[in-house]
Amino acid sequence: MNVTIWNENLHEQKSEKVRELHPKGIHGTIAAILEEEGHVCTLATLDMEEHGLTEEVLANTDVLLWWGHIGHRLVSDEIVERVYNRVQEGMGLIVLHSGHHSKIFKKLMGTTCNLKWRHGARERIWTIKPSHPIAAGVEDGFLLECEEMYGEAFDIPNPEDVIFMGWFNGGEVFRSGCTWTRGNGKIFYFQPGHETDSAYKNPNVRQIIKNTVKWACPTVRGAIPVMKFEPLEK
Amino acid sequence: MNVTIWNENLHEQKSEKVRELHPKGIHGTIAAILEEEGHVCTLATLDMEEHGLTEEVLANTDVLLWWGHIGHRLVSDEIVERVYNRVQEGMGLIVLHSGHHSKIFKKLMGTTCNLKWRHGARERIWTIKPSHPIAAGVEDGFLLECEEMYGEAFDIPNPEDVIFMGWFNGGEVFRSGCTWTRGNGKIFYFQPGHETDSAYKNPNVRQIIKNTVKWACPTVRGAIPVMKFEPLEK
Amino acid sequence: MNVTIWNENLHEQKSEKVRELHPKGIHGTIAAILEEEGHVCTLATLDMEEHGLTEEVLANTDVLLWWGHIGHRLVSDEIVERVYNRVQEGMGLIVLHSGHHSKIFKKLMGTTCNLKWRHGARERIWTIKPSHPIAAGVEDGFLLECEEMYGEAFDIPNPEDVIFMGWFNGGEVFRSGCTWTRGNGKIFYFQPGHETDSAYKNPNVRQIIKNTVKWACPTVRGAIPVMKFEPLEK
Amino acid sequence: MNVTIWNENLHEQKSEKVRELHPKGIHGTIAAILEEEGHVCTLATLDMEEHGLTEEVLANTDVLLWWGHIGHRLVSDEIVERVYNRVQEGMGLIVLHSGHHSKIFKKLMGTTCNLKWRHGARERIWTIKPSHPIAAGVEDGFLLECEEMYGEAFDIPNPEDVIFMGWFNGGEVFRSGCTWTRGNGKIFYFQPGHETDSAYKNPNVRQIIKNTVKWACPTVRGAIPVMKFEPLEK
């Protein structure tokens, strides 16, 4: 299985705190989680040519993880289209945290993906569908001492499964882990992962990231075709 | 439209506090909400003959509201079967609060309907699908100063729609308003409504109760049949 | 309720057969169905300024019906964006027949909306969710002597409800009537309605068109917002 | 992974044709498919003590396949309850063909599971969600020269996924392969498999049976509990 991790890699350039938390960038932090499972991840960032997502890289990617925030508008429409097409063909896509407002996620959802937000909250995440493969080995509930608050109403299409729900100490709730299919591609959105917080050190979050890649790996290759079709019956 | 309200009517016999809050019983409290919409509700309780749910009453009921708690086991299996059959035929069913563990709800869900619980919490309810008819005129979020905590994981089948989500001050979350279809019947589960609290005085809760009856009213009569079927084509 | 019917109105210019079937255009044929319910429909076509879908027209539209086929590429991206935004705000959208490949439908679905197709088939439509308001008064099954075949796999996201399924004499099946929500807008896709066939004369199809408008009419106004949010709890 | 195959094993006693098709019983036919994947299956039949589904057997079963038809009523309620409880705890359940009217399936669905039926039809099965693990390696469409017709309306709750749809030469359609979750258990219903037909010789059907067991294998053990819960937050 080939995993590619995309990160805009912008906060890392601006903030000492982010560099301390993510000495190899947020993409490096995520890669380290997946390396524990034996994955050798391709890393791609905004500043690379074609954002690191060339035709060749994407053609060889089974699952793409996406971390973006302040650079959403800087992602070229052509590359977004390319990722979109690969999702239709079966590539899995894991959208992390502030990626809810990325061009690619909004394009796949067909909604605004709006929500309420605030920096700095205590979050409790609850596993509401423990039988889902993405929840394997994840606790019934767990605490993130500091995370960005994302609150409902979250403007997404009805998910196929809501696996995790978030509670925030300011009084808000959120569908924190949700799945969809688009074309032949499996999509998972996962809310934790703010750049200045340490969600990716949490063992439950790490387990979820690992599970997610396994779950999203395609079993088919190629998009559902349009075709003129001769009758099979007279 | 004919609405029937069923209440076990047991807490009312035991607790002065419940009698004060619900001088005409919890069924009377709910009836008063629906009377504001011009409904004349049939009232049925556990102690009535056939629990007040005779063949005739049910045959004439479009939507049945169900409040039960400590008397779940006292409801006869025969009456549960009768209600079940009417749901298959199209009768709407609104299950309130502790009705999550009623025989009829568990039989329709096919799950344990288990959950976490605790008396006495502050709850905030969020509208997560504002476009649903049950959410018409309901605020984005509202507060219930005191309500029973019901927490995830809530063992229900994936709802067709999750319209409301609850936040509790002890750190829990809940899918507080959910819909399903069984046979031709529409089902709505709504979590607030503890016997010693005053959720039914809250204007948003009242609006939801009113909407729910309109939404659940059947447009067909009769269950989906089993039938041996002659070919339409040669 | 304000209903707008959009039609590309191109086949009508090219084909005598289409003009005979639809003397006032396909939009006129559909308008005549809805006039039976007392609706006064706004008519809009590709050749009108802003395709007839000005800011003002859309702001006043509760439900938009969309018929397009050979002119999908001629619809301006700006107008598509405008319709998209109005769906997010709650406007209902009914996409008819070959509209499955329209820009607006693909943008809302986030998939290719590909399918198999062939001119000239006998279709039987089955009502698989009779309790849905869109199926009210519709027969269990009905025949369209001649309709275009659309066959699975149909590349759409899991619908919220599949209400109708189509059988074709060449050996194919199709999810012929499906619903989704995007933002606050309700969406219904309905497969029959080929320009040279007479589906819109069928009493079941007519009933469905009428039901659909009632079902899709919004109960909220405005899109789900993004907002920085102050804590409600300390 | 431990797989148990349950078969009522009644047609085999009555019909020479069935014995010829299934010399080791329908359970033996299915076991032979799974043996190709290296599974050693436990076989259980109606006539065995406790129908072969003792507490011990079920406690050690990860996935249970169920074939029943004329003996539905002969299955003891106690054993049905036992299977039901194991599904809640995570045991996968694959319900085959006429098992749609089994006690266990109806109890898990909460509906009548009624449908149209007729002996002897030509069926075409279409893969409508090719990205689902149960569809891995399965053709876009395939033919069963003779199978029992099952037609819509099929009275089931909205499936989580409809993976396969059936076309019948008499003019009918069917949701032939559907999934649900109940408690922690994954459920798959698959329509082909009539006792006098040879669906289980079809390579696509065989592939589906194999996939289904892998998909339904639990990643958790134990049902979702009810529990009084102390507050995590002050």
Side-chain angles (χ1 to χ4, degrees):
Chain A
M1 191 200 316
N2 294 315
V3 177
T4 299
I5 302 170
W6 190 88
N7 177 20
E8 60 176 35
N9 198 24
L10 293 177
H11 288 292
E12 290 87 339
Q13 316 313 316
K14 299 180 173 202
S15 153
E16 182 57 31
K17 188 172 179 192
V18 173
R19 274 195 299 276
E20 268 173 42
L21 265 168
H22 307 288
K24 296 185 180 178
I26 295 172
H27 46 301
T29 296
I30 297 166
I33 298 172
L34 293 172
E35 281 161 11
E36 293 179 2
E37 296 285 287
H39 295 295
V40 183
C41 301
T42 301
L43 303 180
T45 52
L46 184 66
D47 60 342
M48 292 169 71
E49 206 167 329
E50 305 185 40
H51 308 329
L53 299 173
T54 61
E55 290 281 6
E56 201 193 339
V57 164
L58 283 176
N60 288 312
T61 298
D62 292 305
V63 182
L64 175 66
L65 294 100
W66 190 277
W67 201 103
H69 182 210
I70 50 176
H72 290 329
R73 287 169 178 234
L74 304 176
V75 179
S76 99
D77 289 340
E78 192 191 333
I79 303 300
V80 171
E81 191 75 18
R82 197 182 281 171
V83 173
Y84 180 89
N85 290 339
R86 279 291 295 133
V87 170
Q88 306 300 324
E89 291 171 2
M91 185 183 72
L93 180 69
I94 314 301
V95 176
L96 298 167
H97 188 58
S98 41
H100 72 94
H101 260 172
S102 62
K103 286 181 180 177
I104 183 61
F105 189 60
K106 291 193 290 183
K107 188 175 169 74
L108 287 160
M109 293 295 106
T111 60
T112 67
C113 302
N114 284 340
L115 44 67
K116 298 183 179 69
W117 64 275
R118 179 178 62 250
H119 288 303
R122 189 166 63 256
E123 177 174 14
R124 293 185 176 277
I125 294 188
W126 295 95
T127 302
I128 75 163
K129 192 157 187 178
S131 62
H132 197 285
I134 291 182
V138 177
E139 287 179 276
D140 173 43
F142 61 95
L143 176 67
L144 299 175
E145 274 294 352
C146 192
E147 186 45 75
E148 192 165 43
M149 183 286 286
Y150 279 5
E152 297 280 347
F154 184 20
D155 186 17
I156 47 173
N158 277 14
E160 295 180 16
D161 281 307
V162 181
I163 308 172
F164 305 107
M165 267 168 57
W167 173 101
F168 295 91
N169 66 326
E172 304 86 0
V173 294
F174 200 65
R175 287 168 288 178
S176 293
C178 301
T179 68
W180 299 264
T181 308
R182 289 294 181 270
N184 278 330
K186 294 191 183 72
I187 300 169
F188 180 61
Y189 172 78
F190 191 45
Q191 160 261 317
H194 192 59
E195 65 272 11
T196 57
D197 301 318
S198 47
Y200 296 130
K201 294 187 177 164
N202 180 284
N204 286 290
V205 169
R206 295 175 79 87
Q207 187 62 49
I208 290 165
I209 299 284
K210 290 168 185 175
N211 291 344
T212 225
V213 166
K214 222 179 298 177
W215 168 81
C217 188
T219 52
V220 278
R221 283 228 143 212
I224 294 169
V226 62
M227 56 167 118
K228 193 167 179 189
F229 197 72
E230 292 305 310
L232 299 167
E233 302 273 338
K234 305 288 155 63
Chain B
M1 192 200 315
N2 294 315
V3 177
T4 299
I5 301 170
W6 191 88
N7 177 21
E8 59 176 36
N9 197 25
L10 293 177
H11 289 291
E12 291 87 339
Q13 316 312 315
K14 299 180 174 204
S15 153
E16 181 58 31
K17 189 173 179 192
V18 173
R19 274 195 299 277
E20 268 172 40
L21 264 169
H22 307 287
K24 297 184 178 177
I26 294 171
H27 47 300
T29 296
I30 296 165
I33 298 171
L34 293 171
E35 281 163 9
E36 293 178 2
E37 297 285 285
H39 295 294
V40 183
C41 302
T42 301
L43 303 180
T45 53
L46 185 67
D47 61 341
M48 292 168 71
E49 207 168 328
E50 305 184 38
H51 308 327
L53 300 173
T54 60
E55 290 282 7
E56 201 193 338
V57 163
L58 283 177
N60 288 311
T61 298
D62 293 302
V63 182
L64 175 66
L65 294 100
W66 191 277
W67 201 104
H69 182 209
I70 49 177
H72 291 329
R73 288 169 177 235
L74 305 175
V75 179
S76 100
D77 289 341
E78 191 191 334
I79 303 300
V80 170
E81 191 74 20
R82 195 183 282 170
V83 173
Y84 181 88
N85 290 338
R86 278 291 295 133
V87 170
Q88 306 300 324
E89 292 171 0
M91 183 182 74
L93 179 69
I94 313 301
V95 176
L96 297 167
H97 188 58
S98 41
H100 72 94
H101 260 171
S102 61
K103 287 181 179 176
I104 182 62
F105 189 59
K106 291 194 289 183
K107 189 175 169 72
L108 287 161
M109 293 296 104
T111 60
T112 67
C113 302
N114 284 341
L115 44 67
K116 298 182 178 70
W117 64 276
R118 178 177 62 250
H119 287 304
R122 189 167 62 256
E123 178 175 14
R124 293 187 177 277
I125 294 187
W126 295 97
T127 303
I128 76 163
K129 191 155 187 177
S131 62
H132 196 286
I134 292 181
V138 177
E139 287 178 275
D140 173 44
F142 60 95
L143 176 67
L144 299 175
E145 274 295 352
C146 192
E147 185 47 73
E148 193 165 41
M149 185 285 287
Y150 279 6
E152 298 282 345
F154 183 21
D155 186 16
I156 46 172
N158 277 13
E160 296 181 16
D161 281 306
V162 180
I163 309 172
F164 305 107
M165 267 168 57
W167 174 102
F168 294 91
N169 65 324
E172 303 86 1
V173 293
F174 200 66
R175 286 168 288 177
S176 294
C178 302
T179 68
W180 298 266
T181 308
R182 288 295 181 269
N184 278 330
K186 294 191 183 72
I187 300 168
F188 180 62
Y189 172 77
F190 191 46
Q191 161 261 317
H194 193 59
E195 65 272 11
T196 57
D197 300 318
S198 47
Y200 296 130
K201 292 186 177 166
N202 180 285
N204 286 289
V205 170
R206 295 173 80 86
Q207 186 62 48
I208 290 165
I209 299 284
K210 290 169 186 174
N211 291 343
T212 226
V213 167
K214 224 181 293 178
W215 168 82
C217 188
T219 53
V220 277
R221 285 230 143 212
I224 294 170
V226 61
M227 55 167 118
K228 193 166 179 191
F229 197 73
E230 292 305 310
L232 300 167
E233 302 275 337
K234 303 288 155 65
Chain C
M1 192 200 316
N2 294 316
V3 177
T4 299
I5 302 169
W6 191 88
N7 177 20
E8 59 177 35
N9 198 26
L10 294 177
H11 288 291
E12 290 88 338
Q13 316 313 315
K14 299 179 174 205
S15 153
E16 180 59 30
K17 189 174 179 191
V18 173
R19 273 195 299 278
E20 268 173 39
L21 264 168
H22 307 286
K24 296 183 178 178
I26 295 172
H27 46 299
T29 297
I30 297 166
I33 299 171
L34 293 171
E35 281 162 10
E36 293 179 2
E37 296 286 286
H39 296 294
V40 183
C41 302
T42 301
L43 303 180
T45 52
L46 185 66
D47 61 340
M48 291 169 71
E49 206 169 330
E50 306 184 38
H51 309 328
L53 299 173
T54 61
E55 290 282 7
E56 202 192 339
V57 164
L58 283 176
N60 288 313
T61 299
D62 293 303
V63 182
L64 175 66
L65 295 100
W66 190 277
W67 202 102
H69 181 209
I70 49 176
H72 290 330
R73 288 167 178 236
L74 305 176
V75 179
S76 100
D77 289 342
E78 191 191 333
I79 302 301
V80 171
E81 191 74 20
R82 196 182 281 170
V83 173
Y84 181 89
N85 290 339
R86 279 291 295 133
V87 170
Q88 305 299 324
E89 292 171 1
M91 184 182 73
L93 179 70
I94 312 302
V95 176
L96 297 167
H97 188 56
S98 41
H100 72 93
H101 260 172
S102 62
K103 287 182 179 176
I104 183 62
F105 189 59
K106 291 194 289 183
K107 189 176 170 72
L108 287 161
M109 293 296 104
T111 60
T112 67
C113 302
N114 284 342
L115 43 69
K116 298 182 179 70
W117 64 275
R118 178 177 63 251
H119 287 304
R122 188 167 63 255
E123 178 175 13
R124 293 187 176 277
I125 294 187
W126 295 96
T127 302
I128 76 163
K129 191 156 188 176
S131 63
H132 196 286
I134 292 180
V138 176
E139 286 178 275
D140 173 43
F142 60 94
L143 175 67
L144 299 175
E145 275 293 353
C146 192
E147 184 46 74
E148 192 166 41
M149 185 284 287
Y150 279 5
E152 297 281 345
F154 184 20
D155 186 16
I156 47 172
N158 277 13
E160 295 181 16
D161 281 306
V162 180
I163 309 172
F164 305 107
M165 268 167 58
W167 174 101
F168 294 91
N169 65 324
E172 304 87 0
V173 294
F174 200 66
R175 287 168 287 177
S176 295
C178 301
T179 68
W180 299 265
T181 308
R182 288 295 181 268
N184 278 329
K186 294 191 183 71
I187 300 169
F188 180 61
Y189 172 77
F190 191 46
Q191 161 261 318
H194 192 60
E195 66 271 12
T196 57
D197 301 317
S198 46
Y200 296 130
K201 293 186 178 167
N202 179 284
N204 286 290
V205 170
R206 295 174 79 86
Q207 186 63 49
I208 290 166
I209 299 283
K210 290 169 185 174
N211 291 343
T212 226
V213 166
K214 224 181 294 179
W215 168 81
C217 188
T219 53
V220 277
R221 285 230 144 212
I224 293 170
V226 60
M227 57 166 117
K228 193 166 179 190
F229 196 73
E230 292 305 311
L232 300 167
E233 302 275 336
K234 305 289 155 64
Chain D
M1 191 201 316
N2 294 315
V3 177
T4 299
I5 302 170
W6 191 88
N7 177 19
E8 60 177 36
N9 197 25
L10 294 176
H11 289 291
E12 290 87 340
Q13 315 313 315
K14 299 180 174 203
S15 154
E16 181 58 31
K17 189 174 179 190
V18 173
R19 273 195 300 275
E20 269 173 42
L21 264 168
H22 307 287
K24 298 185 178 178
I26 294 172
H27 46 301
T29 296
I30 297 167
I33 298 172
L34 293 172
E35 281 162 11
E36 293 178 2
E37 297 285 287
H39 296 294
V40 183
C41 301
T42 302
L43 303 179
T45 53
L46 184 66
D47 61 342
M48 293 169 72
E49 207 169 329
E50 304 185 41
H51 308 328
L53 300 173
T54 61
E55 290 282 5
E56 202 193 338
V57 164
L58 282 176
N60 289 311
T61 299
D62 293 305
V63 181
L64 175 66
L65 294 100
W66 191 277
W67 201 103
H69 182 208
I70 50 177
H72 291 328
R73 287 170 178 233
L74 305 175
V75 179
S76 100
D77 289 340
E78 192 191 332
I79 303 300
V80 171
E81 191 74 20
R82 197 182 281 170
V83 173
Y84 180 89
N85 290 338
R86 279 291 295 133
V87 171
Q88 306 300 323
E89 291 170 2
M91 185 182 72
L93 180 69
I94 313 301
V95 176
L96 297 167
H97 188 57
S98 42
H100 72 94
H101 261 171
S102 62
K103 286 181 180 177
I104 182 61
F105 189 60
K106 291 193 290 183
K107 189 175 170 73
L108 287 161
M109 293 295 105
T111 60
T112 67
C113 302
N114 284 340
L115 44 68
K116 298 182 179 69
W117 63 276
R118 179 177 62 250
H119 288 304
R122 188 167 64 255
E123 177 175 14
R124 294 186 176 277
I125 294 188
W126 295 96
T127 303
I128 76 163
K129 192 157 187 176
S131 63
H132 196 285
I134 292 181
V138 177
E139 287 178 276
D140 173 43
F142 60 96
L143 175 67
L144 299 175
E145 274 294 351
C146 192
E147 185 46 75
E148 192 164 43
M149 183 285 286
Y150 279 5
E152 298 280 347
F154 184 20
D155 186 16
I156 47 172
N158 277 13
E160 295 181 16
D161 282 307
V162 180
I163 308 172
F164 304 108
M165 267 166 59
W167 174 102
F168 295 92
N169 66 324
E172 303 86 0
V173 294
F174 199 65
R175 286 168 288 178
S176 294
C178 301
T179 70
W180 298 265
T181 308
R182 288 294 181 270
N184 278 330
K186 294 191 182 72
I187 301 168
F188 180 61
Y189 172 78
F190 191 45
Q191 161 261 317
H194 192 59
E195 65 272 10
T196 57
D197 300 317
S198 47
Y200 295 130
K201 294 187 178 165
N202 180 284
N204 286 290
V205 169
R206 294 174 81 86
Q207 187 61 49
I208 290 165
I209 299 283
K210 291 168 186 176
N211 291 343
T212 225
V213 166
K214 222 179 298 178
W215 168 80
C217 188
T219 53
V220 279
R221 283 230 145 212
I224 294 170
V226 62
M227 56 167 117
K228 193 167 179 190
F229 196 72
E230 292 305 308
L232 300 168
E233 303 273 338
K234 304 288 155 65

